[in-house]
Amino acid sequence: MGESKFSLRVVPAKYGALVMPFLLSIIMTCVVSLVSTLRGVGFDGFSMMLWLSAWLTSWVVAFPVLLLALPLVKRLTGMLVKLK
C-alpha cells in the first residue's frame, strides 16, 4: 500500500517500542487523574488547571514506570497466554 499525502507516520518504526507506552501512559493517566480529581474535589471544586496539574504529575511518574514494567508484563503475559 502506498503512503498517502496526509500520513501521520512521522516516527521511524524502530521507536515503536517507545511510542506505544508513551501514548498508553497519556491516555491512562488522563482518565485516572480525571476520575481521581473529580472524586477528590467533586464537580463543584473541579477546574481544568487542577486536573491538568494532577495529570502531569501522574504522567511524569507513570511513563517511566510503564517503560520499566513493560518487559516484565510481556514475560508474565507469555506465561499466562496459551499459544496455538
Side-chain angles (χ1 to χ4, degrees):
M1 289 189 165
E3 289 287 323
S4 79
K5 198 170 165 180
F6 302 103
S7 176
L8 293 176
R9 294 181 182 156
V10 294
V11 179
K14 67 181 180 178
Y15 296 111
L18 286 175
V19 172
M20 190 273 302
F22 176 77
L23 295 174
L24 182 61
S25 67
I26 289 173
I27 294 167
M28 290 303 298
T29 56
C30 189
V31 171
V32 171
S33 64
L34 177 62
V35 170
S36 296
T37 302
L38 285 171
R39 183 150 164 80
V41 300
F43 284 104
D44 294 336
F46 180 81
S47 74
M48 282 299 275
M49 287 307 295
L50 181 63
W51 172 52
L52 287 174
S53 173
W55 169 76
L56 184 58
T57 302
S58 64
W59 182 79
V60 165
V61 172
F63 183 53
V65 169
L66 186 58
L67 289 175
L68 292 172
L70 200 54
L72 175 62
V73 171
K74 284 181 180 179
R75 267 188 249 119
L76 290 172
T77 301
M79 292 168 56
L80 295 171
V81 174
K82 184 186 255 186
L83 298 175
K84 293 180 182 182

